[in-house]
């Protein structure tokens, strides 16, 4: 299945592992991801019903080989974040479902996930280009992707929740 990385820093053991989106750890992180996204979008706490609905409307079950890949990063065995790669076409993939729990932010977790996702996209899924979309209110996400070499491009999808689109050619 591939793409497991482990490092130790500041006495914490970090590992990035591929999991199916339906795995309990992955499922819990996806729910946390949508709780935060819905809350930020509406500028109020998300309801359980809203999160349940978005999980139905935006399924992640395709984030398994050969149509995708889903990664979870753990600190000392505890899930701290996730990132998926979805195959769009033969040469192009899409980063999706980037989430880092608040207590793990500022520790390089997102960078770890991006590096592992890029490796999986190229070596496991065989794509040469990664794209992603994000919203205007997710300022931190836009800065993160730019820092990792993603450049803004014209819209490649018609997502009602996307305001910015990015792309990176993998080497």
């Amino acid at each position: 299945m591939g793409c497991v990385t482990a490092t130790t820093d500041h006495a914490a053991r970090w590992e990035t592992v591929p999991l199916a989106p339906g795995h309990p750890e992955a499922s819990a992180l996806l729910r946390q991801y949508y709780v935060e996204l819905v809350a930020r979008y509406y500028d109020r706490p998300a309801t359980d019903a809203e999160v349940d609905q978005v999980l139905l409307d935006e399924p992640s079950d395709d984030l398994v080989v050969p149509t995708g890949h889903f990664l979870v990063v753990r600190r000392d065995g505890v899930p701290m974040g996730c990132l998926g790669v979805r195959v769009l076409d033969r040469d192009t993939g899409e980063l999706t479902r980037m989430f880092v729990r608040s207590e793990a932010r500022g520790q390089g977790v997102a960078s770890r996930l991006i590096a592992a996702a890029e490796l999986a996209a190229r070596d496991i899924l065989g794509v040469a280009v990664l794209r992603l979309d994000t919203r205007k209110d997710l300022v931190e996400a836009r800065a993160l992707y730019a820092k990792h070499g993603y450049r803004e491009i014209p819209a490649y999808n018609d997502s009602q929740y996307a305001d910015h689109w990015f792309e990176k050619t993998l080497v």
Side-chain angles (χ1 to χ4, degrees), residues 92-131:
T92 312
E94 177 182 52
L95 292 182
T96 186
R97 313 300 192 262
M98 165 64 88
F99 175 71
V100 176
R101 291 175 49 187
S102 60
E103 64 268 30
R105 292 178 187 163
Q107 299 177 45
V109 177
S111 293
R112 259 179 231 281
L113 283 166
I114 290 171
E118 289 175 353
L119 185 67
R122 188 186 69 226
D123 295 352
I124 296 171
L125 300 173
V127 299
V129 174
L130 277 176
R131 291 181 173 169

Side-chain angles (χ1 to χ4, degrees), residues 2-6 14-18 71-74 109 112-113 116-117:
C3 207
V4 174
T5 60
W14 291 93
E15 64 178 343
T16 304
V17 297
L71 297 161
V72 169
V73 65
R74 298 175 182 138
V109 177
R112 259 179 231 281
L113 283 166

Side-chain angles (χ1 to χ4, degrees), residues 32-70:
Q32 291 171 22
Y33 165 76
Y34 281 118
V35 164
E36 184 168 315
L37 274 187
V38 170
R40 286 183 71 163
Y41 185 76
Y42 291 113
D43 196 26
R44 60 164 173 74
T47 67
D48 286 340
E50 287 170 327
V51 175
D52 291 343
Q53 188 61 52
V54 76
L55 283 164
L56 288 173
D57 293 345
E58 302 283 335
S60 299
D61 54 344
D62 63 332
L63 299 179
V64 294
V65 176
T67 57
H69 200 71
F70 193 76

Side-chain angles (χ1 to χ4, degrees), residues 73-87:
V73 65
R74 298 175 182 138
R75 180 179 63 204
D76 298 327
V78 178
M80 289 291 155
C82 61
L83 178 58
V85 180
R86 173 176 288 121
V87 174

